[in-house]
Structures are given as C-alpha cells and as structure tokens.
Amino acid sequence: GDGNSSVGDNDTHAGNQVLEDTRKCWMCGRLGDEVACLEGRLLPVEAPRMGLGWVHVHCAMWSSEAFEESGGSLHNVLAAIRRGRNNKCYVCKQPGATINCCWRRCRHSYHLRCAVLSKCQFLRDSRMFCPESIPNHPQTWDRELLLSDVTVTRHCVHVALKRGFS
C-alpha cells in the first residue's frame, strides 16, 4: 500500500477475513455472543427434532423453568425454549420470551434484554418483577435480594444434555 492505510481499513486486504457469527440464540433470536452484562456468551444446546442450537447463558439462566445445579449445569432449558417459541415478549412482541414476571396476577413475559431495558427488577433468588408489578409489591422482598445487574460471573456454566430435557 501507500503506507497511509491503517489496520482495519480493509480486513480482507491481507487475506484476513472477518466472518459473521451466524449462531442464533433460540430464546432471544440475537446472533453471536453478546456483552457479558446482558445476554452473555452462547452455549451449545441439542434438542430432539431441532438438532444443535445455541442459547445465551443469561437468557437460559433467567428463564422461568431453568435452574442451575452445583457444578454449573443448567436444567430445563429445552422446556423454556419450547414454551418460548409460542410466547411473545411484552416489549418487542417477538417470540422467544422465557422470563416471566413473578407476581401471580401478572402474565408478562420478556426477553432478557427487553426486561433489563424496561427496568424490571431481578432478585438473587432468580425471581424477576416487571415495572407494572413492582408497585404491587412494596417492600415484599429484602433489598439485599435486589441485583444491580444480571451478570453471571462463573465461567463453568453449561447446558445439561440429559436429565430434565424430555
């Protein structure tokens, strides 16, 4: 070149090729790994009749059906995926919403990003309350349970491939 080009001007000029990450989360529908403070990294998941797919770690962990066992294995992720296929998000109206408000009279379901951006409150005991339900729960939980974000700091989280996936 002329010596004036900078790295990144043309990622294919030296044989380097930037490939688009086409892995799609079966819950939120977003492509590729996402920022750690929202959806997080993609985890592989295999489902009968669906094949191999992907879910973001936080989309899976905050789904109403899912739970984590010691050792980092996530269970009931496929149950959440199946329900989410027909469940539209209260905010964006797109399918894949697997995080339900925990107030018994509320039927709102969310994608994780939509819940965070809508100012839903996430609690350490894995419950989530939407903004419309929060006034119905004045101080019904200890403020110590309130999380400032949805981030999982453990690095060994994985989707269980056996028990809990029928």
Side-chain angles (χ1 to χ4, degrees):
D2 61 6
N4 292 327
S5 65
S6 63
V7 176
D9 281 351
N10 183 356
D11 290 329
T12 59
H13 76 279
N16 297 334
Q17 188 174 14
V18 176
L19 300 175
E20 180 184 357
D21 190 347
T22 59
R23 299 172 301 159
K24 184 177 183 178
C25 179
W26 278 351
M27 292 179 173
C28 73
R30 296 179 66 85
L31 295 177
D33 291 321
E34 284 289 343
V35 293
C37 65
L38 280 173
E39 293 90 352
R41 71 187 187 280
L42 283 167
L43 302 174
V45 62
E46 191 167 3
R49 297 183 303 276
M50 291 174 68
L52 178 64
W54 301 93
V55 293
H56 289 114
V57 63
H58 298 142
C59 291
M61 290 195 79
W62 284 101
S63 292
S64 299
E65 294 87 347
F67 65 94
E68 181 184 9
E69 285 190 345
S70 61
S73 61
L74 289 174
H75 295 269
N76 290 343
V77 174
L78 285 182
I81 291 168
R82 279 193 297 274
R83 181 179 58 84
R85 285 190 296 190
N86 298 314
N87 208 24
K88 292 190 178 173
C89 178
Y90 180 71
V91 174
C92 71
K93 310 301 184 218
Q94 296 299 309
T98 60
I99 304 169
N100 297 338
C101 177
C102 287
W103 188 45
R104 69 182 179 275
R105 294 184 188 162
C106 184
R107 305 300 243 174
H108 297 169
S109 294
Y110 295 82
H111 296 111
L112 181 66
R113 180 175 294 256
C114 294
V116 169
L117 295 176
S118 297
K119 308 261 189 269
C120 293
Q121 291 189 345
F122 292 83
L123 306 182
R124 290 187 197 285
D125 60 6
S126 298
R127 292 182 298 159
M128 184 277 294
F129 290 92
C130 75
E132 292 182 29
S133 296
I134 292 167
N136 296 308
H137 282 276
Q139 302 302 104
T140 57
W141 59 77
D142 184 345
R143 284 293 182 210
E144 294 294 314
L145 288 176
L146 192 60
L147 293 173
S148 59
D149 64 48
V150 295
T151 305
V152 174
T153 56
R154 295 172 306 285
H155 297 285
C156 61
V157 175
H158 62 278
V159 175
L161 296 177
K162 293 186 181 174
R163 190 165 57 98
F165 274 13
S166 58

